[in-house]
Amino acid sequence: MHLSPELEKKYTRESLSARDAQRLAEFIAWGPVVFQASRIMLKWGILDLIRDAKEGLTIQEICDRTGYTEYAMKCLLEASLCIGLLLVDVNTNRYSLSKTGWFLINDPATRVNINFSHDVNYEGWFKLEEALLSGKPEGLKHFGDWPTVYEGLSSLPEHVQKSWFGFDHFYSDSSFPEALEIIFKKNKTLSLYDVGGNTGKWALQCVGYDKYVEVTILDLPQQIEMMKANTAGKEGAERIKGYGINLLDSSAVFPKGEREIDAIWMSQFLDCFSMDEIISILTRAKTAMTEHTRIYIMETLWDRQRFETAAFCLTMTSLYFTAIANGNSKMYNTEDMQYCINKAGLEIEEIFDGLGQGHSILKVKLKK
């Protein structure tokens, strides 16, 4: 198994004392309520209130400023103290913010992850065991009767959509500037397929970056309609086309354009499929390629992460795919992705690491 130096240091040897290990075990046992108490402290603005008070606040002061009951505040503040969100002065009984509490408030990734976990996943994860056994997204059923979340995305409640797209865009958007440089400056790219293009956010970036490029988005028909609505009237939209396709259908072929395709872009896309499905998609993508075409696969490969916290977030995200998204995909590592690429008759030409929030781009060509 390939592991970045930081991950090898963390995952190949024991680093906790027995007491710390026991505490972590209990933290896991109480994990659901740890999450909900922390989320409520954020939602109700209690953490912000405490942060803004230079001398800290007592329970009564918090009650007076918020209108919440003393009982509610005692429960939440004492739990937050033990979770590690707060500190307390034993002489004045004033609560102040800990470093962990500060990150909970201020770290954009953490806020995105909290909303995603609560709005999209929390109820569904109750069915995680069933999903692991069946290979189907059993936790999706409380939203609707769809085979995967993608068919139902446009029908999800508005706040769920907001959290889903917030999560999806946050991680990809931070990598866009560097990705554009790789695709357009390092290579001549005038025609591009954006596979799984969702709302057209990446396509708009492309046509804004290069005034000559033409982009075709390949996605489900309902996603194409969302894309058209989102891109309508925006600069360069006339150079963005849509092609409705169910990429899970192994007979669905990639279109052959009037001009040679220079690049096929797959951003945070292949992690939405099983390895067999990835091989099928790449095999069909190969039929639209020439020796000059390159596939650019941008993924947050968990084994290539510079920081251990990122690998933790990614492996937890795999369980969203299990219970909610489709039941059979995950956040892959380099070894798994390379296997799929090679099985499809392709090979990795170059790997670019460290883009944005821990993304890598695999530049892929036809196998010689």
Side-chain angles (χ1 to χ4, degrees):
M1 176 184 288
H2 168 275
L3 290 174
S4 68
E6 180 68 19
L7 301 191
E8 185 172 352
K9 178 181 175 182
K10 178 71 175 181
Y11 296 151
T12 60
R13 60 185 70 92
E14 184 64 73
S15 59
L16 297 177
S17 67
R19 183 168 294 177
D20 288 339
Q22 182 188 37
R23 188 186 192 283
L24 180 57
E26 289 292 357
F27 205 85
I28 294 168
W30 292 97
V33 75
V34 167
F35 173 81
Q36 289 296 354
S38 303
R39 184 188 67 83
I40 292 168
M41 288 288 283
L42 270 175
K43 182 181 178 182
W44 287 6
I46 309 297
L47 293 180
D48 293 279
L49 194 67
I50 294 172
R51 175 198 58 191
D52 295 339
K54 292 183 179 180
E55 304 300 324
L57 294 172
T58 65
I59 291 176
Q60 190 57 54
E61 286 171 338
I62 295 171
C63 292
D64 292 342
R65 297 187 189 191
T66 63
Y68 294 118
T69 66
E70 183 179 355
Y71 167 77
M73 286 303 96
K74 279 186 176 180
C75 287
L76 284 174
L77 291 169
E78 290 168 4
S80 297
L81 183 66
C82 294
I83 291 168
L85 305 181
L86 300 176
L87 302 170
V88 67
D89 186 321
V90 295
N91 296 313
T92 63
N93 290 328
R94 291 182 173 276
Y95 288 90
S96 60
L97 202 65
S98 70
K99 290 180 181 178
T100 301
W102 187 92
F103 275 105
L104 207 63
I105 294 173
N106 294 291
D107 181 28
T110 301
R111 296 298 291 264
V112 165
N113 290 340
I114 285 176
N115 293 336
F116 182 65
S117 292
H118 180 68
D119 294 332
V120 179
N121 301 313
Y122 197 82
E123 291 182 74
W125 271 329
F126 192 77
K127 298 291 185 180
L128 177 61
E129 184 175 2
E130 290 92 327
L132 287 165
L133 293 171
S134 70
K136 297 180 180 179
E138 304 293 350
L140 180 61
K141 292 178 180 177
H142 77 278
F143 286 129
D145 188 23
W146 306 293
T148 73
V149 74
Y150 310 108
E151 283 89 343
L153 196 56
S154 61
S155 301
L156 291 174
E158 185 177 351
H159 72 285
V160 179
Q161 284 191 39
K162 182 179 179 182
S163 292
W164 192 94
F165 282 112
F167 178 84
D168 184 66
H169 289 165
F170 176 82
Y171 287 98
S172 60
D173 288 4
S174 64
S175 305
F176 281 175
E178 295 164 284
L180 289 166
E181 295 279 320
I182 290 169
I183 291 177
F184 291 101
K185 280 203 170 180
K186 292 181 181 292
N187 299 273
K188 183 181 179 181
T189 301
L190 295 177
S191 58
L192 180 145
Y193 282 171
D194 181 2
V195 186
N198 267 332
T199 60
K201 203 164 188 180
W202 165 255
L204 285 170
Q205 293 272 333
C206 290
V207 296
Y209 187 91
D210 189 308
K211 64 180 180 180
Y212 297 109
V213 69
E214 294 182 358
V215 179
T216 300
I217 293 177
L218 280 60
D219 213 324
L220 291 166
Q222 56 266 44
Q223 290 299 111
I224 296 297
E225 292 306 310
M226 290 178 67
M227 176 276 292
K228 289 179 179 178
N230 186 61
T231 58
K234 295 181 179 175
E235 185 177 356
E238 71 279 0
R239 289 183 280 122
I240 300 173
K241 299 179 177 65
Y243 183 85
I245 182 173
N246 180 4
L247 289 154
L248 281 172
D249 180 356
S250 60
S251 65
V253 297
F254 276 53
K256 288 285 185 70
E258 295 179 1
R259 63 192 302 175
E260 180 179 304
I261 300 302
D262 296 316
I264 300 175
W265 172 253
M266 300 179 180
S267 172
Q268 293 184 178
F269 171 71
L270 293 180
D271 55 44
C272 300
F273 301 94
S274 70
M275 290 179 68
D276 286 341
E277 290 165 346
I278 292 172
I279 294 168
S280 172
I281 291 167
L282 291 175
T283 300
R284 284 177 279 142
K286 185 176 69 171
T287 64
M289 297 175 67
T290 71
E291 61 177 327
H292 304 295
T293 308
R294 296 294 182 266
I295 300 177
Y296 296 90
I297 300 170
M298 188 165 82
E299 291 286 347
T300 42
L301 301 167
W302 73 261
D303 62 315
R304 306 186 77 85
Q305 297 305 304
R306 181 182 174 189
F307 300 108
E308 190 275 333
T309 301
F312 170 80
C313 292
L314 292 171
T315 55
M316 296 304 105
T317 302
S318 289
L319 302 179
Y320 144 74
F321 285 110
T322 304
I324 305 294
N326 53 40
N328 62 6
S329 74
K330 64 190 294 292
M331 304 306 292
Y332 292 101
N333 62 19
T334 309
E335 183 179 352
D336 288 340
M337 197 59 69
Q338 185 168 21
Y339 172 83
C340 294
I341 290 166
N342 292 341
K343 287 289 286 185
L346 303 164
E347 62 183 356
I348 297 173
E349 183 176 40
E350 194 172 359
I351 299 179
F352 304 90
D353 286 325
L355 285 72
Q357 294 283 330
H359 281 81
S360 296
I361 289 181
L362 307 180
K363 183 181 177 183
V364 175
K365 65 177 182 177
L366 293 171
K367 187 183 290 184
K368 293 181 179 178

